[in-house]
Amino acid sequence: MKISDKLYRSLFIFVIVIFLSSFLLISVYNLWNIYKANRMMGVYKKEQNIRTILILPKNESYWNTFIQQFKAVSVNRHILSDVIFYSNIQELINAISLSYYANIDAVILCNIFSNTSVDNEISNLKKKNIFVVSLLNDSLYKNEDIFIGIDYYLKGKIVGEIIYDNLKKKTSNYVNMAIVNNPFYSSIGGTLEIKGITDFLKEHKINEVYIKTFSSDYGSFSAELIAKELVSDNNSFNVIYASNEIETFTLTQTVILSNKIDRFILIGSGSDQKLLKYQKEGIITALINDKVKNISEKLIDGILSFKKYGHAASYISTDFSIIK
């Protein structure tokens, strides 16, 4: 074999070896980059996706707007949430216990029961470093990480101010008031709200203040029965206040049908177009609505703060939309 043939063969083998080595190195490099990218994506997802459970008193109509607002914003912030409704203490305990054994980062709880077993279950969540948010009803005390809700006392003072301003128009100096709430609302803020109403009126020299509460089952026929009772000639109420949209709508229609619009200072809640029309026409004196979007945003900020720093500041929402 000639020397030139050997040289060409050696050169050819050398080129092949270099080519295969380069191909192998590039392949390994690409595989390593893919592995790193997948690993980083996995860590990213693990860090960003926050699992939460909302445990709420069974009243889907009341919670509908809040849940819609919360989920609309929270999904984009990588907060995944499930909702559990409870109607008694045992269902509440079961829901909290389920949260303990599930892969959950945070529990958002509106608790309407004062119960030792409930407190113990929440304490177990804290031992597992699960973030606990007390929503609307500040009844968890030391076991909550943050409370996010409504200043019902301030809301009561706002109602009191509306009543006072309209009493002057009616040249009246006393308040005989009927408050219509569903049982859930009464349990989370009704007492503080009544105190706010009474304190404001007394501060403004309205010394005759009589308040009677009526509890309706949300969305049921009982709201109509209560409305008919309130407008009857057997009662001397001059103020009616309903804290929920359905009760407001029922009361307003009853007042209209009974032809007693001028008799009442009628304060309600809701954003239905018909209610807004009634308010504009002067049938409803004022509409007061909680800013649900504001509460949802503060709730999300609290959860993200806990995930990032291990703690969060306490919030209390005092924002209301007032149409009068």
Side-chain angles (χ1 to χ4, degrees):
M1 185 179 290
K2 295 180 179 180
I3 295 175
S4 59
D5 291 336
K6 287 183 179 180
L7 184 62
Y8 284 133
R9 179 180 291 180
S10 299
L11 185 61
F12 177 78
I13 292 171
F14 176 77
V15 170
I16 293 297
V17 170
I18 293 296
F19 174 79
L20 291 174
S21 298
S22 300
F23 178 81
L24 183 62
L25 286 171
I26 292 169
S27 298
V28 170
Y29 179 76
N30 287 336
L31 288 170
W32 173 249
N33 282 336
I34 291 169
Y35 168 77
K36 281 195 342 183
N38 287 337
R39 188 170 181 273
M40 288 177 66
M41 184 61 70
V43 170
Y44 174 78
K45 286 181 178 179
K46 185 177 179 182
E47 289 178 350
Q48 292 299 317
N49 287 336
I50 303 171
R51 289 284 313 280
T52 68
I53 286 183
L54 293 97
I55 303 175
L56 309 172
K58 189 173 179 61
N59 197 322
E60 289 88 337
S61 298
Y62 182 90
W63 292 109
N64 186 46
T65 303
F66 169 76
I67 292 171
Q68 285 180 348
Q69 291 278 1
F70 177 72
K71 288 194 171 184
V73 180
S74 63
V75 169
N76 295 330
R77 307 287 291 275
H78 302 284
I79 298 173
L80 309 178
S81 58
D82 295 307
V83 182
I84 299 176
F85 289 105
Y86 67 88
S87 57
N88 55 56
I89 290 177
Q90 191 55 54
E91 288 181 0
L92 172 58
I93 292 171
N94 292 343
I96 300 171
S97 180
L98 174 66
S99 305
Y100 179 85
Y101 292 105
N103 184 25
I104 295 298
D105 298 296
V107 171
I108 302 155
L109 173 65
C110 180
N111 177 28
I112 61 173
F113 296 114
S114 178
N115 181 274
T116 304
S117 297
V118 173
D119 293 340
N120 291 337
E121 290 292 339
I122 296 169
S123 181
N124 289 335
L125 296 180
K126 295 303 303 160
K127 291 174 184 176
K128 201 177 178 183
N129 199 33
I130 294 174
F131 188 59
V132 177
V133 180
S134 182
L135 182 65
L136 296 188
N137 189 23
D138 191 16
S139 64
L140 305 183
Y141 305 113
K142 62 183 180 181
N143 286 321
E144 70 190 30
D145 288 292
I146 60 172
F147 163 64
I148 297 177
I150 298 163
D151 189 338
Y152 289 101
Y153 179 74
L154 175 62
K155 191 175 183 181
K157 296 199 90 171
I158 292 170
V159 174
E161 182 178 7
I162 293 168
I163 294 169
Y164 177 74
D165 289 343
N166 284 275
L167 278 179
K168 291 186 292 186
K169 297 175 186 176
K170 293 180 177 291
T171 64
S172 180
N173 201 40
Y174 78 96
V175 170
N176 189 11
M177 182 177 186
I179 298 179
V180 183
N181 285 331
N182 64 69
F184 161 67
Y185 190 93
S186 299
S187 67
I188 64 171
T191 303
L192 279 173
E193 196 167 24
I194 290 172
K195 184 167 175 50
I197 294 168
T198 305
D199 286 354
F200 185 91
L201 293 172
K202 293 289 178 69
E203 287 166 8
H204 289 76
K205 311 303 181 187
I206 308 296
N207 296 316
E208 292 186 67
V209 179
Y210 309 99
I211 298 176
K212 185 175 180 179
T213 59
F214 296 83
S215 181
S216 68
D217 294 328
Y218 200 82
S220 76
F221 187 65
S222 63
E224 294 181 24
L225 295 177
I226 290 170
K228 288 177 181 178
E229 179 184 344
L230 297 183
V231 302
S232 71
D233 293 330
N234 297 326
N235 287 307
S236 58
F237 296 110
N238 62 346
V239 180
I240 299 177
Y241 170 46
S243 57
N244 296 299
E245 186 170 89
I246 290 179
E247 280 87 347
T248 302
F249 197 79
T250 303
L251 286 163
T252 305
Q253 287 190 316
T254 305
V255 168
I256 293 170
L257 290 172
S258 64
N259 197 27
K260 295 179 180 178
I261 296 170
D262 294 332
R263 174 178 159 186
F264 300 104
I265 296 171
L266 182 57
I267 303 168
S269 175
S271 55
D272 180 88
Q273 289 301 312
K274 207 161 190 178
L275 291 179
L276 295 174
K277 179 175 177 288
Y278 287 150
Q279 192 282 321
K280 194 172 182 180
E281 293 172 349
I283 299 169
I284 296 175
T285 307
L287 291 167
I288 306 174
N289 295 309
D290 307 331
K291 288 190 176 179
V292 177
K293 184 178 179 181
N294 180 259
I295 296 172
S296 298
E297 288 172 347
K298 288 187 176 182
L299 172 56
I300 291 166
D301 288 344
I303 293 170
L304 293 174
S305 176
F306 168 76
K307 192 65 178 177
K308 186 173 182 179
Y309 303 110
H311 60 83
S314 294
Y315 294 105
I316 188 167
S317 172
T318 58
D319 294 327
F320 306 98
S321 169
I322 306 165
I323 304 169
K324 60 181 181 177

